[in-house]
Amino acid sequence: MADSSSTYQAGGSGDQPKKSIIPDRAAIDHVDTDPAAQLLNLTKSDSEKDIPIEEEGAHSQGVIRERGHSEAENEATVDRDHDEPSQKTVGAPASSMSTMSPTSSSLMPIAPELMGHLMNSMTPPGVNIAGSNNVVNISCHVQSTGSVQLATSSSQLDPVPSPGPVPTPDHVPPPNQESDVPDTMSTFIQELKETGKALYDKIQPIPYIKDELDSVDKVFIEVGLERRVGKDSWKKLGSYHDIFPKEKGNPRIQIIEGDPGYGKSTLALQMVYDWCNEVSGSPFSGPDILICLNLRQLKGITSIAQAIKQCSLPFDSKLKLLDVEQLISKSNIWVIFDAYDEYPDQHNKVNFVMQMLKGKIGQHVNILLTTRSSCIPPALGARTGRIRLTGFDNAAQERYIRKVVTGDDEVVKKVLKHLNINPTLGVLCRAPLFSVMYAHLTHKGSMLHEISSVTGFFGHMISCFLSHTQNKLSGADESPENLQTHADTHAALDKLAFEALTSKMQQLVWDRTFFVGELGEVFYKLYVDVGILVEEKETHIPAPGKVPQHKTVVRFYHKLFGEWYAAYHLIECVKSRSYILPENINLYDLKFLFMFACGLDQPGGSQVIKLLGERKDGAESVVLCAPQLKEWSHDIQTTVRRIVSSGIDIYISDSRLLQQSTIQLLELASQHKIPISQVMLLESFSSVDPDSLPLVLRSGLCLPPLSTLKELVIWTEPGREVTVDEWTGILNYTNQCQLLKKLKLDLCLLPWMDSFPTSLGSVEVRWVTAIDGHEYTLQSGRWQNWRSGGILTRGAYDDLNEDSGEILTRGAYDDLVTKFRERCSDTPWQERRRAERE
């Protein structure tokens, strides 16, 4: 190619266009300060920008390409479509300004405030820049041979070896050619698997048992899973293998939600195990790349590539950030974002996780995001699936005990026995975290089966941990008395946990040095030995081109442990009657904090419930907390009276813990003679126990007859056909509720009955049919149309249709029943009915 003929001027005048190779200040400020500009676009990185230095059509073309930051350097290249090697030299400062031509240098002034950006963000590896406090001028010399020389007007130059031929626009090297690693993809996968193995090989079922770490596959038991199939409908899944449906067009983003301790993180690690070990039959062994990122560790990270580089690759990895960007842009990649509820940047207006969830970047990535049910990301797209964990059923609890704890049949029966006879324990142990600890501690002789409240269970569990560790450490560095003192005196930890959890930006990880300074070395060491506090190594890259920093951070074994200690501080706070709960507190997210507080201290708990009752969003928290109190003061009764006077709903979607707490609250309200205006069972009714007459919910819990209940509404699931035995049982249940005035059944098909219990007396029974939506009332043993007042005779019942009560023939009724079943054919109830008949 001929010599360059364009003249570039840094100042003055000339006939040729003026083009600076340095972006203007506004562009630099945008790159440095705008978080959105740093988010990785996986098809073309926002951090990779082409800045032209010559207008299109000129003989000498080139760009300065600012690449993504690497761990220890920030790369830049100057590309020219010449075949000769280029040379780069930078010397001392100069003050003159000149032009660049084929035979002369162009000296362009660089303002001092831009020099730092040039040095840190645009300097190729190996270039030595000497600067001063004054204006620094750099020359760019395009020689006739095609090579490039950067220099200043000073005579002192530091030569740098030529990087070799510079590619032309028609010859761009493949991505791997720019890496120092020969085979980047195989290295990437190998390092990801090494890191993944380090995660799933350290499962610790009991905090203080640190010498019995297991691989996740040794302890993993499938929990119950349900997929959301409508606004309020959920369908049971057979396995976690079914999370990503095989059908075309299904969501590539799945939100996996569950209450605390329901096994979200354990499930994520099992998926990692499947991929790392290429488990046959698992869909999670299929993608090219599967990465699990704990969102708790991603504070301040602005791209998925940066997160992978910093958290999922070994510290000594030779792969650069640019390598990671290129590899994930062309791969079938699945990313697991674990613990969104613990993500420090979730409240930032712009964060890369939300950008990926909304499909603005990384559209080719399959995403699984785990989170507490109380912390679902907002404004998700239509192509987002919802999966929820429903915990361990009795069969899963038995499988875990046999697989992990003991295979002794007698011991297994003994451990399971108490779960069946203690309703509170049974509900708690639906959460795998509690079930696992109950099984291990009971096997070791603990008396957890005698516990009757959430607070009692957790408190006894903490005591077991501390007692075991104290016995283990006695006679070492501290006497048992000193250890007990440290175990019982934890006000500093209480305050730290409370302030961290109730702040607008929850803090769940602390620097070890800070923590030790707040708590003291002996206290800190004891709680780490117990396992309540967990140390982790963290690598932090403070800025591009800076040396990575390593530090030890500390967190609670589980967020629930933080809520336990925070509850102690809340009790101290409410002793001041002027204390008000911070408005920013998510009551449902911290429900265990308030439950623990109510169970720890009777007077303080009463004050907590009063504060919760004064909040518009506090009713559900009162339902959860009131049963934790052993006695109800006048203030508590007043608060409960206000809540039950507006009616209580039990949804099928409510957790078992919430359903159990609701039932306990209703029972206690009846015992205190507090009138209950209405109880509505929203798709949660299952059957009636023929012996003891409680209503059995679909969760397996039982609602006993309530002496002060005034109205009962049963809204069945779509397609439900109530049997004669079920209908009889419901009517008998109402006889046990002395103050009941109304019974209503919605959107179901009731059976015909020739006679009804005469003891119904003044109870108004209303029925909204699933066929035509008309309401009927039972009076004097006959169904009467609620709207028209017409009597619903046996013949009229057989001839129900969608018209206004016109009588049909029996044949027409049979057709109507067929239509009803066809209309509801895709409902879970009708599917079960067909399966049973087949």
Coordinates of all heavy atoms in Angstrom, one line a residue, residues 382-455:
A382 N -42.4 -11.6 30.0 CA -43.4 -12.7 29.9 C -42.7 -14.1 29.8 O -43.3 -15.1 30.2 CB -44.2 -12.4 28.6
R383 N -41.5 -14.2 29.3 CA -40.9 -15.4 29.1 C -40.0 -15.8 30.4 O -38.9 -16.1 30.3 CB -40.0 -15.4 27.9 CG -40.7 -15.4 26.6 CD -39.8 -15.9 25.4 NE -39.4 -17.2 25.7 CZ -38.3 -17.8 25.0 NH1 -37.6 -17.1 24.2 NH2 -38.0 -19.0 25.3
T384 N -40.7 -15.7 31.5 CA -40.0 -16.0 32.8 C -40.9 -17.0 33.5 O -42.1 -16.8 33.8 CB -39.8 -14.8 33.6 OG1 -39.0 -13.8 33.0 CG2 -39.1 -15.1 35.0
G385 N -40.3 -18.2 33.8 CA -41.0 -19.2 34.5 C -40.9 -19.1 36.0 O -39.9 -18.4 36.5
R386 N -41.8 -19.6 36.7 CA -41.8 -19.6 38.2 C -41.8 -21.0 38.7 O -42.8 -21.8 38.4 CB -42.9 -18.8 38.8 CG -42.8 -17.3 38.5 CD -42.0 -16.5 39.5 NE -42.7 -16.5 40.8 CZ -43.6 -15.6 41.2 NH1 -44.0 -14.7 40.3 NH2 -44.1 -15.7 42.4
I387 N -40.9 -21.4 39.6 CA -40.8 -22.7 40.2 C -40.8 -22.4 41.7 O -40.0 -21.5 42.2 CB -39.6 -23.5 39.8 CG1 -39.5 -23.6 38.3 CG2 -39.6 -24.8 40.5 CD1 -40.6 -24.5 37.7
R388 N -41.5 -23.1 42.5 CA -41.4 -23.0 44.0 C -41.1 -24.3 44.6 O -41.5 -25.4 44.2 CB -42.7 -22.4 44.5 CG -43.9 -23.3 44.6 CD -45.1 -22.6 45.2 NE -46.2 -23.4 45.3 CZ -47.5 -23.0 45.7 NH1 -47.6 -21.8 46.1 NH2 -48.5 -23.9 45.7
L389 N -40.3 -24.2 45.7 CA -40.0 -25.4 46.5 C -41.0 -25.6 47.6 O -41.3 -24.6 48.3 CB -38.6 -25.3 47.1 CG -37.4 -24.9 46.1 CD1 -36.1 -24.9 46.9 CD2 -37.4 -25.9 45.0
T390 N -41.5 -26.8 47.7 CA -42.5 -27.0 48.8 C -42.0 -27.9 49.9 O -42.7 -28.2 50.8 CB -43.8 -27.8 48.1 OG1 -43.3 -29.0 47.5 CG2 -44.4 -26.9 47.1
G391 N -40.7 -28.2 49.9 CA -40.1 -28.8 51.0 C -40.1 -30.3 51.0 O -40.5 -31.0 50.0
F392 N -39.8 -30.9 52.2 CA -39.8 -32.3 52.4 C -41.2 -32.8 52.8 O -41.8 -32.3 53.7 CB -38.8 -32.7 53.5 CG -37.4 -32.9 53.1 CD1 -36.4 -33.1 54.0 CD2 -37.0 -32.7 51.7 CE1 -35.1 -33.3 53.6 CE2 -35.7 -32.9 51.3 CZ -34.7 -33.1 52.3
D393 N -41.7 -33.9 52.1 CA -42.8 -34.6 52.7 C -42.3 -35.7 53.5 O -41.1 -35.9 53.7 CB -43.7 -35.1 51.5 CG -43.0 -36.0 50.5 OD1 -41.9 -36.5 50.8 OD2 -43.5 -36.2 49.4
N394 N -43.2 -36.6 54.1 CA -42.7 -37.6 55.0 C -41.8 -38.6 54.3 O -40.8 -39.1 54.9 CB -44.0 -38.4 55.5 CG -44.8 -37.5 56.4 OD1 -44.3 -36.6 57.0 ND2 -46.0 -37.9 56.6
A395 N -42.1 -38.9 53.0 CA -41.2 -39.8 52.3 C -39.8 -39.3 52.1 O -38.8 -40.0 52.2 CB -41.9 -40.2 50.9
A396 N -39.7 -38.0 51.8 CA -38.4 -37.4 51.6 C -37.6 -37.3 52.9 O -36.4 -37.5 52.9 CB -38.6 -36.0 51.0
Q397 N -38.3 -37.1 54.0 CA -37.7 -37.1 55.3 C -37.1 -38.4 55.6 O -36.0 -38.6 56.1 CB -38.7 -36.7 56.4 CG -39.1 -35.2 56.3 CD -40.3 -34.8 57.2 OE1 -41.0 -35.7 57.6 NE2 -40.5 -33.6 57.4
E398 N -37.8 -39.5 55.3 CA -37.3 -40.8 55.6 C -36.2 -41.2 54.7 O -35.2 -41.8 55.1 CB -38.5 -41.8 55.4 CG -38.0 -43.3 55.6 CD -39.2 -44.3 55.6 OE1 -40.3 -43.9 55.5 OE2 -38.9 -45.5 55.6
R399 N -36.2 -40.8 53.4 CA -35.1 -41.0 52.5 C -33.8 -40.4 53.0 O -32.8 -40.9 52.9 CB -35.5 -40.5 51.1 CG -36.5 -41.4 50.3 CD -36.5 -41.1 48.8 NE -36.7 -39.7 48.5 CZ -37.9 -39.2 48.3 NH1 -39.0 -40.0 48.5 NH2 -38.1 -38.0 48.0
Y400 N -34.0 -39.1 53.5 CA -32.8 -38.4 54.0 C -32.2 -39.2 55.2 O -31.0 -39.4 55.2 CB -33.1 -37.0 54.3 CG -31.8 -36.3 54.9 CD1 -30.9 -35.7 54.0 CD2 -31.5 -36.3 56.2 CE1 -29.8 -35.1 54.4 CE2 -30.4 -35.6 56.7 CZ -29.5 -35.0 55.8 OH -28.4 -34.5 56.2
I401 N -33.0 -39.5 56.1 CA -32.5 -40.2 57.3 C -31.8 -41.5 56.9 O -30.7 -41.8 57.4 CB -33.7 -40.5 58.3 CG1 -34.3 -39.1 58.8 CG2 -33.2 -41.3 59.5 CD1 -35.5 -39.3 59.6
R402 N -32.4 -42.3 56.1 CA -31.8 -43.5 55.7 C -30.5 -43.3 54.8 O -29.5 -44.1 55.0 CB -32.7 -44.4 54.9 CG -33.9 -44.9 55.7 CD -34.8 -45.8 54.9 NE -35.9 -46.3 55.6 CZ -35.9 -47.3 56.5 NH1 -34.7 -47.9 56.7 NH2 -37.0 -47.7 57.2
K403 N -30.4 -42.3 54.0 CA -29.3 -42.1 53.2 C -28.1 -41.4 53.9 O -27.0 -41.8 53.7 CB -29.7 -41.1 52.0 CG -28.6 -40.8 51.0 CD -29.1 -40.0 49.9 CE -28.0 -39.7 48.8 NZ -28.5 -38.9 47.7
V404 N -28.4 -40.5 54.9 CA -27.3 -39.7 55.5 C -27.1 -40.1 56.9 O -26.0 -40.1 57.4 CB -27.6 -38.2 55.3 CG1 -26.5 -37.4 55.9 CG2 -27.9 -37.9 53.8
V405 N -28.2 -40.3 57.7 CA -28.0 -40.4 59.1 C -27.8 -41.8 59.6 O -26.8 -42.2 60.2 CB -29.3 -39.8 59.8 CG1 -29.1 -39.9 61.4 CG2 -29.5 -38.4 59.4
T406 N -28.8 -42.7 59.3 CA -28.7 -44.1 59.7 C -29.6 -45.0 58.9 O -30.7 -44.5 58.4 CB -29.0 -44.3 61.2 OG1 -29.0 -45.7 61.5 CG2 -30.4 -43.8 61.5
G407 N -29.3 -46.2 58.7 CA -30.1 -47.2 58.0 C -30.9 -48.1 58.9 O -31.6 -49.0 58.5
D408 N -30.7 -47.9 60.2 CA -31.3 -48.7 61.3 C -32.9 -48.4 61.3 O -33.3 -47.3 61.5 CB -30.8 -48.4 62.6 CG -31.2 -49.3 63.7 OD1 -32.5 -49.5 63.8 OD2 -30.4 -49.9 64.5
D409 N -33.7 -49.4 61.0 CA -35.1 -49.3 60.8 C -35.7 -48.7 62.1 O -36.6 -47.9 62.1 CB -35.8 -50.6 60.5 CG -35.5 -51.0 59.0 OD1 -35.1 -50.1 58.2 OD2 -35.7 -52.2 58.7
E410 N -35.3 -49.2 63.3 CA -35.9 -48.8 64.5 C -35.6 -47.3 64.8 O -36.5 -46.6 65.3 CB -35.3 -49.7 65.7 CG -35.8 -51.1 65.6 CD -37.3 -51.2 65.7 OE1 -37.9 -50.5 66.5 OE2 -37.9 -52.0 64.9
V411 N -34.4 -46.9 64.5 CA -34.0 -45.5 64.7 C -34.8 -44.6 63.8 O -35.3 -43.6 64.2 CB -32.5 -45.3 64.6 CG1 -32.1 -43.8 64.7 CG2 -31.7 -46.1 65.6
V412 N -34.9 -45.1 62.6 CA -35.7 -44.3 61.6 C -37.1 -44.1 62.0 O -37.7 -43.0 62.0 CB -35.6 -45.0 60.2 CG1 -36.6 -44.3 59.2 CG2 -34.2 -45.0 59.6
K413 N -37.7 -45.2 62.5 CA -39.1 -45.1 63.0 C -39.3 -44.1 64.2 O -40.2 -43.4 64.3 CB -39.6 -46.5 63.3 CG -39.8 -47.4 62.1 CD -40.3 -48.8 62.6 CE -40.4 -49.7 61.4 NZ -40.9 -51.1 61.8
K414 N -38.3 -44.2 65.1 CA -38.3 -43.4 66.3 C -38.2 -41.9 65.9 O -38.9 -41.0 66.4 CB -37.2 -43.8 67.2 CG -37.1 -42.9 68.5 CD -35.9 -43.4 69.3 CE -35.8 -42.5 70.6 NZ -34.6 -42.9 71.4
V415 N -37.3 -41.6 65.0 CA -37.1 -40.2 64.5 C -38.4 -39.7 63.8 O -38.8 -38.5 64.1 CB -35.9 -40.1 63.6 CG1 -35.8 -38.6 63.1 CG2 -34.6 -40.4 64.4
L416 N -39.0 -40.5 63.0 CA -40.1 -40.1 62.2 C -41.4 -40.0 63.1 O -42.3 -39.2 62.8 CB -40.4 -41.0 61.0 CG -39.3 -41.0 59.9 CD1 -39.6 -42.1 58.9 CD2 -39.3 -39.6 59.2
K417 N -41.4 -40.8 64.1 CA -42.6 -40.8 65.0 C -43.0 -39.5 65.5 O -44.2 -39.0 65.5 CB -42.4 -41.8 66.1 CG -43.5 -41.9 67.1 CD -43.2 -42.8 68.3 CE -44.3 -42.8 69.3 NZ -43.9 -43.7 70.5
H418 N -42.0 -38.7 66.0 CA -42.3 -37.4 66.6 C -42.7 -36.4 65.6 O -43.4 -35.4 65.9 CB -41.1 -37.0 67.4 CG -40.6 -37.9 68.5 ND1 -41.4 -38.2 69.6 CD2 -39.5 -38.7 68.6 CE1 -40.8 -39.0 70.4 NE2 -39.6 -39.4 69.8
L419 N -42.3 -36.6 64.4 CA -42.8 -35.6 63.3 C -44.2 -35.7 63.1 O -44.9 -34.8 62.7 CB -42.0 -35.8 62.0 CG -40.5 -35.6 62.1 CD1 -39.9 -35.9 60.7 CD2 -40.2 -34.1 62.4
N420 N -44.8 -36.9 63.3 CA -46.2 -37.2 63.0 C -47.1 -36.8 64.2 O -48.3 -36.4 64.0 CB -46.4 -38.6 62.7 CG -45.7 -39.1 61.4 OD1 -45.6 -38.3 60.4 ND2 -45.2 -40.3 61.4
I421 N -46.6 -36.8 65.4 CA -47.4 -36.5 66.5 C -47.3 -35.1 67.1 O -48.1 -34.6 67.9 CB -47.1 -37.5 67.7 CG1 -45.7 -37.4 68.2 CG2 -47.4 -38.9 67.3 CD1 -45.4 -38.3 69.4
N422 N -46.2 -34.4 66.6 CA -46.0 -33.0 67.0 C -46.2 -32.1 65.8 O -45.4 -32.0 64.9 CB -44.6 -32.8 67.5 CG -44.3 -31.4 68.1 OD1 -44.9 -30.4 67.7 ND2 -43.4 -31.3 69.0
P423 N -47.4 -31.5 65.7 CA -47.7 -30.7 64.5 C -46.8 -29.5 64.2 O -46.4 -29.3 63.1 CB -49.2 -30.1 64.8 CG -49.4 -30.3 66.3 CD -48.5 -31.4 66.7
T424 N -46.3 -28.9 65.3 CA -45.3 -27.8 65.1 C -44.0 -28.3 64.5 O -43.5 -27.7 63.6 CB -45.1 -27.0 66.4 OG1 -46.3 -26.5 66.9 CG2 -44.0 -25.9 66.2
L425 N -43.6 -29.4 65.1 CA -42.3 -30.0 64.6 C -42.5 -30.5 63.1 O -41.6 -30.4 62.3 CB -41.9 -31.2 65.5 CG -40.5 -31.7 65.4 CD1 -39.5 -30.6 65.6 CD2 -40.3 -32.9 66.3
G426 N -43.7 -31.1 62.9 CA -44.0 -31.6 61.5 C -43.9 -30.5 60.5 O -43.4 -30.6 59.4
V427 N -44.5 -29.3 60.8 CA -44.5 -28.2 59.9 C -43.1 -27.6 59.7 O -42.6 -27.4 58.6 CB -45.4 -27.1 60.4 CG1 -45.2 -25.8 59.6 CG2 -46.9 -27.5 60.3
L428 N -42.3 -27.4 60.8 CA -41.0 -26.9 60.7 C -40.1 -27.8 59.9 O -39.3 -27.3 59.1 CB -40.4 -26.8 62.1 CG -40.7 -25.5 62.9 CD1 -40.1 -25.6 64.3 CD2 -40.2 -24.3 62.2
C429 N -40.2 -29.1 60.0 CA -39.3 -30.0 59.3 C -39.7 -30.3 57.9 O -39.1 -31.1 57.2 CB -39.3 -31.3 60.1 SG -38.3 -31.2 61.7
R430 N -40.8 -29.6 57.4 CA -41.0 -29.5 56.0 C -39.8 -28.8 55.3 O -39.5 -29.0 54.1 CB -42.3 -28.9 55.6 CG -43.5 -29.7 55.9 CD -43.5 -31.0 55.0 NE -43.7 -30.7 53.6 CZ -44.9 -30.9 53.0 NH1 -45.9 -31.4 53.7 NH2 -45.0 -30.6 51.7
A431 N -39.2 -27.9 56.1 CA -38.0 -27.1 55.6 C -36.8 -28.1 55.7 O -36.5 -28.5 56.8 CB -37.8 -25.9 56.4
P432 N -36.2 -28.4 54.6 CA -35.0 -29.3 54.7 C -34.0 -28.9 55.7 O -33.4 -29.8 56.4 CB -34.5 -29.3 53.3 CG -35.7 -29.0 52.4 CD -36.5 -28.1 53.2
L433 N -33.7 -27.6 55.9 CA -32.7 -27.2 56.8 C -33.1 -27.7 58.2 O -32.2 -28.2 59.0 CB -32.6 -25.7 56.8 CG -31.7 -25.0 57.9 CD1 -30.2 -25.4 57.6 CD2 -31.9 -23.5 58.0
F434 N -34.3 -27.5 58.6 CA -34.8 -27.9 60.0 C -34.9 -29.4 60.1 O -34.5 -30.0 61.1 CB -36.1 -27.3 60.3 CG -36.1 -25.8 60.5 CD1 -37.0 -25.0 59.9 CD2 -35.1 -25.2 61.3 CE1 -36.9 -23.6 60.1 CE2 -35.1 -23.9 61.5 CZ -36.0 -23.0 60.9
S435 N -35.3 -30.0 59.0 CA -35.5 -31.5 59.0 C -34.1 -32.2 59.1 O -34.0 -33.2 59.9 CB -36.1 -32.0 57.7 OG -36.3 -33.4 57.7
V436 N -33.1 -31.7 58.4 CA -31.8 -32.3 58.5 C -31.2 -32.1 59.9 O -30.7 -33.1 60.5 CB -30.9 -31.6 57.5 CG1 -29.4 -31.9 57.7 CG2 -31.2 -32.0 56.0
M437 N -31.3 -30.9 60.5 CA -30.8 -30.7 61.8 C -31.5 -31.5 62.9 O -30.9 -32.1 63.8 CB -30.8 -29.2 62.2 CG -29.8 -28.4 61.3 SD -29.6 -26.7 61.8 CE -28.4 -26.1 60.7
Y438 N -32.9 -31.6 62.7 CA -33.7 -32.4 63.6 C -33.2 -33.9 63.6 O -33.0 -34.5 64.6 CB -35.1 -32.3 63.3 CG -36.0 -33.4 63.9 CD1 -36.3 -33.3 65.3 CD2 -36.4 -34.5 63.2 CE1 -37.1 -34.3 65.9 CE2 -37.1 -35.5 63.8 CZ -37.5 -35.4 65.1 OH -38.2 -36.4 65.7
A439 N -33.0 -34.4 62.4 CA -32.7 -35.8 62.2 C -31.3 -36.1 62.9 O -31.1 -37.1 63.6 CB -32.6 -36.2 60.7
H440 N -30.3 -35.3 62.6 CA -29.0 -35.5 63.1 C -28.9 -35.3 64.6 O -28.3 -36.2 65.3 CB -28.0 -34.5 62.5 CG -27.6 -34.9 61.1 ND1 -26.6 -35.8 60.8 CD2 -28.1 -34.5 59.9 CE1 -26.5 -35.9 59.5 NE2 -27.4 -35.1 58.9
L441 N -29.6 -34.3 65.1 CA -29.5 -34.0 66.6 C -30.3 -35.0 67.4 O -29.9 -35.5 68.5 CB -30.0 -32.6 66.9 CG -29.1 -31.5 66.3 CD1 -29.7 -30.1 66.6 CD2 -27.7 -31.5 66.9
T442 N -31.5 -35.5 66.8 CA -32.2 -36.5 67.5 C -31.5 -37.8 67.5 O -31.5 -38.5 68.5 CB -33.6 -36.6 66.8 OG1 -34.3 -35.4 66.8 CG2 -34.5 -37.7 67.5
H443 N -30.8 -38.1 66.5 CA -30.0 -39.3 66.4 C -28.9 -39.3 67.5 O -28.5 -40.4 68.0 CB -29.4 -39.5 65.0 CG -28.6 -40.7 64.8 ND1 -29.1 -42.0 65.1 CD2 -27.3 -40.9 64.4 CE1 -28.1 -42.9 64.9 NE2 -27.0 -42.2 64.5
K444 N -28.4 -38.1 67.8 CA -27.4 -38.0 68.8 C -27.9 -37.8 70.2 O -27.2 -37.5 71.1 CB -26.5 -36.8 68.4 CG -25.7 -37.0 67.1 CD -24.8 -35.8 66.8 CE -24.1 -36.0 65.5 NZ -23.1 -37.0 65.6
G445 N -29.3 -37.9 70.4 CA -29.8 -37.9 71.7 C -30.5 -36.7 72.1 O -31.0 -36.6 73.3
S446 N -30.6 -35.7 71.2 CA -31.3 -34.4 71.6 C -32.8 -34.7 71.8 O -33.4 -35.6 71.2 CB -31.1 -33.4 70.5 OG -31.9 -32.2 70.8
M447 N -33.4 -33.8 72.6 CA -34.9 -33.9 72.9 C -35.7 -32.9 72.1 O -36.6 -32.3 72.6 CB -35.1 -33.7 74.4 CG -34.3 -34.7 75.3 SD -34.8 -36.4 75.0 CE -36.5 -36.5 75.7
L448 N -35.3 -32.7 70.9 CA -36.0 -31.7 70.0 C -37.5 -32.0 69.8 O -38.3 -31.1 69.6 CB -35.3 -31.6 68.7 CG -34.1 -30.7 68.6 CD1 -33.4 -30.8 67.3 CD2 -34.5 -29.2 68.8
H449 N -37.8 -33.3 70.0 CA -39.2 -33.7 69.7 C -40.2 -33.1 70.7 O -41.4 -33.1 70.5 CB -39.3 -35.2 69.7 CG -39.0 -35.9 71.0 ND1 -37.7 -36.3 71.3 CD2 -39.7 -36.2 72.1 CE1 -37.6 -36.8 72.5 NE2 -38.8 -36.8 73.0
E450 N -39.7 -32.6 71.8 CA -40.6 -32.0 72.9 C -40.9 -30.5 72.6 O -41.6 -29.9 73.3 CB -39.9 -32.2 74.2 CG -39.7 -33.6 74.6 CD -39.1 -33.8 76.0 OE1 -38.7 -32.7 76.6 OE2 -38.9 -34.9 76.5
I451 N -40.3 -30.0 71.6 CA -40.5 -28.6 71.3 C -41.8 -28.3 70.7 O -42.4 -29.1 69.9 CB -39.4 -28.1 70.3 CG1 -38.0 -28.4 70.9 CG2 -39.5 -26.6 70.0 CD1 -37.7 -27.7 72.3
S452 N -42.4 -27.1 71.1 CA -43.8 -26.8 70.6 C -43.8 -25.5 69.9 O -44.9 -25.0 69.6 CB -44.7 -26.8 71.8 OG -44.3 -25.8 72.8
S453 N -42.7 -24.8 69.6 CA -42.7 -23.5 68.9 C -41.5 -23.4 68.0 O -40.5 -24.1 68.3 CB -42.8 -22.4 69.9 OG -41.6 -22.2 70.6
V454 N -41.6 -22.5 67.1 CA -40.4 -22.2 66.2 C -39.2 -21.7 67.1 O -38.1 -22.1 66.9 CB -40.8 -21.2 65.1 CG1 -39.5 -20.8 64.3 CG2 -41.8 -21.7 64.2
T455 N -39.5 -20.8 68.0 CA -38.5 -20.2 68.8 C -37.8 -21.3 69.7 O -36.6 -21.4 69.9 CB -39.0 -19.1 69.7 OG1 -39.7 -18.2 68.9 CG2 -37.9 -18.4 70.5

